[in-house]
Amino acid sequence: MEILRHQHEAKSVHRDTNLENKSQIIKEKIVAEDITLTAAQLIVQCLENEGVEYIFGLPGEENIRLIDAMKDSTIRFIVVRHEQGASFMADIYGRVTGKAGVCISTLGPGAINLLLGTADAFTDSTPLVAISAQVGLNRIHKETHQVIDLLNMFKPVTKWAGMIVSSAAIPEMVREAFEKAKTERPGAVYLCVPEDVEAISGLTGLRPLSQSYEADSMPGSSQIAHAAHVLQAATKPIILAGHGAVRDHAGDALVRFSERLRIPVATTFMGKGIFPDDHPNSLGTMGFMKHDYVNFGFDEADVIVCVGYDLQEFDPVRMNPNADKKILHLHRYPAEIDTHYPVTVSVEGNISAALDELAAIVTPKEGLDAADRKIRNLLKEELEYGAHTDAYPVKPQRLVSDIRAVMGESDIALVDTGSLKMWMARLYPTNQPNTCVISNGLSTMAFAVPGAIGAKLAYPDRKVLAVTGDGSFLMNSQELETAIREHIPFVVLIWVDGAYGLIKWKMDLELGHHSFVDFGNPDFVNYAESFGARGYFIEAAADLLPTLKKALSEDVVSVVVCPVDYSENIKLTNKLGQLMQPI
């Protein structure tokens, strides 16, 4: 795993160096020739200066100059079929790379379509820069064609939103947008470009601004001492690792901390892989809608060490229902206030440094007990059941097992929202961060197919699998054409049940029946082939694994269609409901 990480870092450095060289050549050429620029060209140069490699979006009447200015740049512009798809591509590109993904649209309806992926990035703490056109300043003050108050529309779902009202402000505002997107808690930002500002020409003396670098903040010694005192007195501590630990690259330190102090670790859905599931101290994933096996580990705990946990990932009442646990909050920033998240000590700053300092001064604990090992065994038994059942339609456990068997440790599975998210999050063994990508801040449907394009562009040497339900798939399936046209190969695996399965599951649990959740589907194989993709239909459970292997080995876009038996949903929650006492 360490070798793979170093190889990826080396490739990233090489890619970033090439991009810096290209941008430097362009900037030197402009200075040497002292040529004039249009505002659109200046914006593109500022984007190059920020290291932007890809922009996802659609051209419109009001942004044609900005789109055209990318033609001779180092940026690859990916023309999409819907702006929502563009926003998800940028969202997932930012999620897996840590660099700001960029999406662009025209004004009005185009900008509104960017909103969902922008909100997803905001709630998932992913760096994203959304750029849209706007009507000219000469008519923005009045009721006129396509005028919408875009700034106030984006403000609730972004860290920062601004409008360029002067060409002289372009370098500063582009720099500020990227600075806001990537620093402190990452998130989405929005930049609005009025049509008449974009059209300004004859600019001289304006150049991109140098990037600033934030000094890494170290945790305070008094915080460490107080946290160590609480942890030293703990009799049954447990660790919850969240998405913040992934963003802070704290995986190695987390493993050292757990091993040194012999404390078990659970992760959130979005934290999957930051602590390897194959590690003997791993308890699995926290966040299922009912009291799952891993919850019993938290029931018995007296201290919860929350490492990079964001409250948006799931409600803390799930792990601390009586608000009686002591909470150690290790993160880059303070915790949100919540009755069920009563922070005893907050250690703010570099997460790896905090973990290493605590590990050095706290006495090791007793390690996993029989109940902890039982949690691991129960999850293992579910996955093994999946590996050996030939039932058809295919059991969810079999789908998870076969996906894991065909995917390498560093390959990327994007898991859409629906019943399948619950099965994948609970059972899919994940040993590296950002290799099982789940949206749990906004939990939006339909990000997986367009998101796969962003993930594959970020890591072209990895296999990418979009795992989606039939409900989610048809919401953004048009982006298959984008992937085929741009030659961005990945595989879509559709779990087919002809219903909005998670809502059906919830209705059956809470109402005892379901209504208005069923729908019809097209012939997905013919549908995929009509785009130029390859289509496969699974007719027996034994066909799934070899079909996935074949599809993932080919340098094309493929769609694998698999009927799923979601009667397992109620069986699972009934089984968990019978576990009323700690195991």
Side-chain angles (χ1 to χ4, degrees):
M1 187 168 73
E2 192 65 27
I3 292 173
L4 285 172
R5 185 178 294 110
H6 287 316
Q7 288 175 342
H8 162 58
E9 289 172 354
K11 289 177 182 176
S12 296
V13 168
H14 179 67
R15 182 174 61 220
D16 292 343
T17 301
N18 285 342
L19 189 62
E20 288 171 9
N21 290 341
K22 290 179 183 178
S23 298
Q24 187 62 31
I25 290 169
I26 290 171
K27 284 185 282 185
E28 288 174 356
K29 184 174 184 289
I30 290 167
V31 172
E33 297 179 1
D34 196 27
I35 63 173
T36 61
L37 297 171
T38 66
Q41 289 170 330
L42 179 58
I43 291 171
V44 170
Q45 283 189 18
C46 290
L47 294 171
E48 288 180 306
N49 184 62
E50 297 294 337
V52 175
E53 297 178 84
Y54 305 100
I55 295 180
F56 310 94
L58 271 172
E61 291 180 71
E62 294 77 16
N63 68 358
I64 55 175
R65 292 169 181 82
L66 184 54
I67 299 296
D68 189 61
M70 283 187 268
K71 166 172 91 272
D72 299 318
S73 75
T74 59
I75 297 169
R76 181 177 171 185
F77 184 62
I78 305 294
V79 179
V80 303
R81 302 308 302 268
H82 193 286
E83 293 91 349
Q84 186 183 116
S87 67
F88 282 132
M89 293 172 203
D91 176 17
I92 299 305
Y93 179 87
R95 172 89 173 265
V96 300
T97 65
K99 300 190 295 186
V102 182
C103 53
I104 191 169
S105 77
T106 188
L107 50 67
I112 292 170
N113 286 342
L114 286 182
L115 200 62
L116 183 56
T118 302
D120 192 64
F122 176 68
T123 55
D124 283 354
S125 298
T126 294
L128 177 146
V129 177
I131 303 171
S132 87
Q134 180 56 293
V135 299
L137 295 173
N138 62 331
R139 62 187 181 100
I140 198 171
H141 62 283
K142 59 185 178 181
E143 183 178 328
T144 186
H145 181 60
Q146 289 193 304
V147 167
I148 292 289
D149 187 349
L150 296 175
L151 276 180
N152 280 320
M153 184 181 77
F154 275 90
K155 279 179 180 177
V157 296
T158 55
K159 292 178 63 180
W160 174 89
M163 180 166 65
I164 299 175
V165 296
S166 164
S167 58
I170 290 172
E172 293 176 347
M173 294 195 72
V174 173
R175 179 80 281 278
E176 183 169 10
F178 279 83
E179 188 78 9
K180 296 284 189 186
K182 294 189 289 186
T183 56
E184 297 177 351
R185 182 174 185 168
V189 301
Y190 169 68
L191 191 60
C192 181
V193 186
E195 182 182 15
D196 50 4
V197 172
E198 182 198 63
I200 294 171
S201 61
L203 300 180
T204 58
L206 293 172
R207 299 289 180 263
L209 299 181
S210 299
Q211 297 186 34
S212 58
Y213 295 93
E214 184 182 22
D216 199 10
S217 60
M218 292 294 111
S221 57
S222 62
Q223 294 175 327
I224 292 293
H226 191 184
H229 176 75
V230 173
L231 191 53
Q232 186 66 56
T235 58
K236 182 66 173 160
I238 192 170
I239 299 166
L240 177 68
H243 189 221
V246 176
R247 299 193 302 269
D248 217 40
H249 308 288
D252 290 342
L254 181 59
V255 170
R256 291 193 296 270
F257 182 83
S258 173
E259 290 178 346
R260 167 79 175 82
L261 300 186
R262 299 200 290 267
I263 302 176
V265 180
T267 71
T268 65
F269 283 12
M270 292 176 62
K272 281 182 71 68
I274 192 61
F275 192 84
D277 279 331
D278 62 2
H279 193 286
N281 285 358
S282 172
L283 294 183
T285 308
M286 182 78 167
F288 184 58
M289 58 185 176
K290 291 293 181 180
H291 208 72
D292 206 350
Y293 309 133
V294 69
N295 288 85
F296 292 111
F298 286 83
D299 292 343
E300 296 296 295
D302 59 339
V303 172
I304 305 176
V305 184
C306 293
V307 182
Y309 162 64
D310 300 322
L311 268 67
Q312 284 174 310
E313 298 186 68
F314 72 91
D315 194 330
V317 71
R318 299 280 184 82
M319 63 176 171
N320 192 14
N322 300 318
D324 56 352
K325 316 291 185 185
K326 290 184 177 179
I327 303 289
L328 299 186
H329 176 82
L330 276 60
H331 216 316
R332 284 282 180 175
Y333 39 79
E336 292 289 325
I337 303 300
D338 189 283
T339 300
H340 295 274
Y341 198 72
V343 175
T344 307
V345 185
S346 181
V347 181
E348 295 152 30
N350 184 289
I351 295 175
S352 294
L355 290 167
D356 284 338
E357 290 184 37
L358 280 172
I361 57 177
V362 175
T363 303
K365 303 300 175 180
E366 294 183 2
L368 272 67
D369 59 17
D372 295 328
R373 287 188 285 273
K374 181 65 173 176
I375 290 170
R376 288 177 54 83
N377 288 336
L378 285 167
L379 290 169
K380 183 180 178 182
E381 286 169 9
E382 277 196 49
L383 200 59
E384 288 179 347
Y385 163 72
H388 295 102
T389 176
D390 288 324
Y392 186 85
V394 180
K395 301 288 187 183
Q397 301 94 323
R398 175 66 180 261
L399 277 150
V400 176
S401 177
D402 283 3
I403 293 169
R404 180 67 280 174
V406 79
M407 297 287 279
E409 294 288 355
S410 64
D411 294 335
I412 301 172
L414 298 98
V415 182
D416 235 322
T417 297
S419 290
L420 60 91
K421 180 174 83 169
M422 298 300 171
W423 289 102
M424 286 288 290
R426 294 180 66 251
L427 295 183
Y428 186 71
T430 309
N431 297 322
Q432 294 185 29
N434 284 327
T435 58
C436 182
V437 179
I438 295 171
S439 168
N440 226 43
L442 195 61
S443 290
T444 182
M445 295 174 70
F447 81 88
V449 170
I453 293 175
K456 188 65 176 181
L457 287 172
Y459 296 104
D461 55 334
R462 301 190 192 184
K463 297 174 186 174
V464 173
L465 178 67
V467 185
T468 186
D470 44 3
S472 292
F473 173 71
L474 281 180
M475 292 181 180
N476 272 316
S477 60
Q478 73 281 348
E479 301 306 338
L480 290 177
E481 191 280 328
T482 303
I484 292 163
R485 169 172 30 87
E486 295 286 343
H487 190 67
I488 305 170
F490 62 92
V491 175
V492 181
L493 173 61
I494 309 174
W495 297 29
V496 176
D497 70 321
Y500 294 111
L502 185 60
I503 309 306
K504 187 174 185 177
W505 191 354
K506 186 83 168 178
M507 280 185 160
D508 286 342
L509 274 176
E510 298 192 6
L511 305 178
H513 63 272
H514 56 266
S515 53
F516 307 111
V517 292
D518 299 308
F519 50 74
N521 283 315
D523 183 325
F524 284 122
V525 171
N526 285 335
Y527 181 75
E529 290 174 346
S530 73
F531 285 102
R534 292 185 182 167
Y536 303 90
F537 188 85
I538 302 302
E539 296 183 346
D543 295 340
L544 178 60
L545 184 59
T547 303
L548 285 175
K549 282 183 179 178
K550 174 178 171 57
L552 285 163
S553 69
E554 297 172 333
D555 192 34
V556 297
V557 177
S558 296
V559 176
V560 179
V561 184
C562 184
V564 58
D565 177 12
Y566 274 142
S567 68
E568 292 293 313
N569 292 353
I570 291 298
K571 291 178 184 177
L572 172 63
T573 43
N574 286 343
K575 177 182 177 181
L576 294 176
Q578 294 169 6
L579 297 173
M580 300 303 292
Q581 300 298 322
I583 50 183

